[in-house]
Amino acid sequence: MTVAVLRQLYCLFLCVTVRGELPAIPYHGCMDTQPLYLQLADDIAAQISARVLRAGERLPSLREMKLRRGLSLSTVQQAFRRLEDLGLVEARPQSGYFVRYRSEPGHALRLAAPTEVAVDPLLWSYVEDQSEQRTERMQGFRSAVAPHALLPVAQLQRYTLDCMRRHPDLLSDYGRPSGYLDFKRQIARLAMEWGGQLHPEQLIVTQGTIEALNLALRALTQPGDVVAVESPAYFSLLYTLKALGLRVVEIPTDPVSGISVEALELATRDAAIKAVILVPNFSNPLGALMPDAAKEKVADMLAARGIPLIEDDVYGEFYYGRQRPRPIKAFDRSGNVLYCASLTKDVAPGLRIGWIDPGRYRSQVEVQKYLSTHSTPTLNQAVLARFLASGAYPRHMRRLRRAIASQMQGLLQGLAQHFPADVQYTPPQGGFALWLVFPQGFDSLALHQQARQEGIGLAPGPLFSPRGDYRHCLRLSCAEPWTEAQQARLVRLGELVRRQYAD
């Protein structure tokens, strides 16, 4: 058997193990030589298979590879496109090519039956720590909210006093269930950055994103219904689904490109799924970013099937690159997307202000808003309306994004230095979250308990699964400033990890 044929078989093996399917690889016959681009692609694929190049690692640039191998630029480009087709690498705008996270063979098409959300009592220690975050007792890598020093607290204080002085009636008025019109106008203007056509009268102001999600689910589902979510999924969403008596279908999700569109297509072929909930921009806990093509395909597919899509875009403003990613709402042509977002992560967690554009389900959602909390505090909306109207928000976000990106870089460098080499993680393109995958048998719950005793916070993997899966995974957050103390916590965390490896 010739070298060329062996290489063809090797490519087939890689594609089956990585993507769970056979690719359409052209046959080149029993020649002793291959096109140069295939030889280069095979060599890089072999390095990925041997984990010389690890998941999330950046490949040499096209020009650098051209010089190394003495090839033309077009040959190198063909090789990299070949690796993309095989699902081994991912192109990121303005960043280059990165090794993709490697899933189990056929993982994207294996769907579990609907399940209820189970809550492990051990995990309530994590929830209880909410009141202790950023204190001397509990710090580290658990919070997904910008720290106090990076928030515009002084400006908001001034605007609060000014609003109370100019409009004392705000303290004695319940306000409209749909919200304060001046604030909604500012949100509609803000959406223009991603090409959004939000209309102020269409928006409903909520007490954070979590209420927006609650209202959408109450409007669309009944206890016992089934909804589809990303897997892993944010734990607060899972607990919300449990409280509403809903069952869950988990859709496999990639740390680079987000939810598997193929698996979602399979799960929604019948009428069992009543709604789909997605976080397409820098999802928590994976940090994944869905490509625009996938967003558009999902929007069109669910609209055609009459299945509403609830979109959580709370992290959309936390991009590390040059341009804000578009939400799925930007591709919504029929009002099928219920778009949820807030200012709780980036401006004022304590004011608890979010919103929902319910699309064609507005009347149902407004009724649920009236029945649940009637309205959202108008004073808080007025303060944030003043802040947005002042023009301070873009400047604030540029500063905040730079800080978060720098803190993520510090976390990534620390992991490379202080954690075992077989720990897999994919550097995100935005957001706070970094998902770590350890070898099977690793116990993130045990690590969580040990770290908690030393005042180091993290999020164990089972938090993000309705079945308590992902015990060998955990989420770290880069929200805290990267100081010597924070680096020391990561060093200590690495020591606890290695101790578990040794046991």
Side-chain angles (χ1 to χ4, degrees):
M1 188 175 293
T2 66
V3 172
V5 174
L6 286 171
R7 282 181 168 170
Q8 289 286 356
L9 291 174
Y10 180 64
C11 278
L12 286 169
F13 167 76
L14 279 176
C15 209
V16 170
T17 56
V18 173
R19 300 179 66 180
E21 60 185 44
L22 288 172
I25 299 180
Y27 178 66
H28 294 278
C30 295
M31 300 171 59
D32 288 333
T33 60
Q34 280 183 302
L36 293 176
Y37 81 92
L38 285 178
Q39 294 180 29
L40 176 58
D42 288 352
D43 290 345
I44 296 174
Q47 289 184 313
I48 294 173
S49 178
R51 296 194 177 181
V52 175
L53 294 171
R54 296 172 51 194
E57 188 172 346
R58 186 180 185 276
L59 273 66
S61 69
L62 297 176
R63 295 190 180 278
E64 186 178 354
M65 189 64 73
K66 168 182 176 292
L67 295 174
R68 285 187 185 182
R69 299 292 292 258
L71 301 172
S72 69
L73 187 60
S74 63
T75 297
V76 177
Q77 288 173 330
Q78 281 184 288
F80 277 53
R81 283 196 292 269
R82 173 68 169 177
L83 293 167
E84 278 192 286
D85 291 341
L86 291 173
L88 297 178
V89 305
E90 178 85 11
R92 301 183 187 176
Q94 289 86 45
S95 299
Y97 286 86
F98 290 76
V99 180
R100 288 196 63 179
Y101 179 87
R102 298 174 63 182
S103 303
E104 299 277 336
H107 177 64
L109 297 180
R110 288 205 301 266
L111 296 177
T115 183
E116 296 181 352
V117 178
V119 179
D120 190 327
L122 290 175
L123 297 179
W124 277 108
S125 63
Y126 182 90
V127 179
E128 291 168 355
D129 289 340
Q130 290 281 4
S131 61
E132 299 175 358
Q133 62 182 339
R134 298 198 187 94
T135 67
E136 291 296 327
R137 184 175 175 185
M138 185 59 60
Q139 295 183 328
F141 309 96
R142 65 178 307 282
S143 174
V145 179
H148 177 87
L150 293 177
L151 296 176
V153 176
Q155 288 175 283
L156 295 176
Q157 287 176 329
R158 291 197 301 271
Y159 289 138
T160 300
L161 293 174
D162 187 57
C163 285
M164 292 176 66
R165 183 171 57 252
R166 292 188 180 189
H167 306 285
D169 56 305
L170 293 178
L171 296 177
S172 59
D173 184 7
Y174 274 121
R176 296 172 59 192
S178 64
Y180 184 55
L181 187 56
D182 284 354
F183 174 73
K184 295 195 292 181
R185 286 176 178 149
Q186 293 301 323
I187 295 305
R189 293 180 61 183
L190 191 63
M192 294 173 63
E193 181 182 351
W194 50 262
Q197 298 295 322
L198 303 186
H199 300 286
E201 290 293 347
Q202 174 76 1
L203 298 174
I204 296 175
V205 183
T206 63
Q207 297 186 29
T209 311
I210 197 65
E211 189 192 18
L213 296 173
N214 261 283
L215 296 178
L217 288 166
R218 290 178 185 275
L220 298 171
T221 65
Q222 299 291 329
D225 283 347
V226 179
V227 299
V229 301
E230 298 161 316
S231 182
Y234 183 47
F235 63 88
S236 287
L237 170 62
L238 294 177
Y239 291 168
T240 297
L241 297 174
K242 179 177 178 63
L244 295 176
L246 299 172
R247 294 180 295 151
V248 175
V249 167
E250 298 178 87
I251 309 296
T253 306
D254 184 275
V256 175
S257 56
I259 197 166
S260 167
V261 178
E262 294 81 5
L264 184 62
E265 191 277 334
L266 179 64
T268 56
R269 285 181 179 177
D270 55 36
I273 303 294
K274 299 302 181 183
V276 175
I277 310 169
L278 296 181
V279 188
N281 294 330
F282 319 124
S283 62
N284 186 356
L286 290 183
L289 174 63
M290 284 180 65
D292 279 357
K295 293 173 181 175
E296 185 172 16
K297 184 175 181 179
V298 166
D300 290 345
M301 177 180 69
L302 295 181
R305 295 179 175 183
I307 301 174
L309 170 60
I310 303 172
E311 179 178 19
D312 180 352
D313 194 36
V314 70
Y315 297 106
E317 295 289 341
F318 287 92
Y319 54 97
Y320 299 161
R322 297 179 180 178
Q323 188 173 3
R324 190 206 194 280
R326 290 187 287 179
I328 300 178
K329 186 66 177 178
F331 303 98
D332 180 21
R333 300 175 179 89
S334 62
N336 192 57
V337 176
L338 297 88
Y339 176 74
C340 307
S342 79
L343 294 175
T344 58
K345 299 290 185 182
D346 51 5
V347 177
L351 293 182
R352 303 299 304 157
I353 297 296
W355 58 91
I356 179 172
D357 181 343
R360 65 171 182 255
Y361 307 100
R362 188 184 189 282
S363 59
Q364 299 97 304
V365 172
E366 188 168 25
V367 168
Q368 293 300 322
K369 173 63 180 178
Y370 181 83
L371 293 175
S372 59
T373 57
H374 184 279
S375 61
T376 301
T378 307
L379 175 60
N380 295 357
Q381 298 178 62
V383 170
L384 289 173
R386 288 285 306 277
F387 176 74
L388 294 173
S390 73
Y393 182 74
R395 295 192 299 273
H396 160 67
M397 286 307 302
R398 285 194 292 270
R399 173 174 171 259
L400 180 56
R401 281 193 292 267
R402 284 195 299 268
I404 298 302
S406 176
Q407 289 162 198
M408 177 60 77
Q409 190 60 34
L411 177 58
L412 291 169
Q413 292 174 353
L415 288 170
Q417 294 173 3
H418 305 296
F419 273 53
D422 59 359
V423 180
Q424 295 185 19
Y425 49 88
T426 300
Q429 300 179 62
F432 297 96
L434 185 64
W435 184 249
L436 274 59
V437 180
F438 293 81
Q440 289 289 342
F442 185 83
D443 190 347
S444 63
L445 280 177
L447 179 66
H448 163 59
Q449 294 295 335
Q450 294 166 354
R452 185 171 182 259
Q453 291 175 5
E454 300 190 24
I456 302 175
L458 58 89
L463 266 175
F464 304 95
S465 167
R467 305 171 188 269
D469 294 336
Y470 303 114
R471 197 167 183 129
H472 65 300
C473 304
L474 61 88
R475 186 203 73 183
L476 298 181
S477 170
C478 70
E480 294 295 329
W482 191 253
T483 61
E484 290 185 4
Q486 185 74 338
Q487 184 171 1
R489 295 184 192 102
L490 187 65
V491 171
R492 179 55 182 156
L493 201 57
E495 292 172 352
L496 294 175
V497 168
R498 293 181 185 278
R499 179 189 298 176
Q500 190 175 139
Y501 270 46
D503 290 342

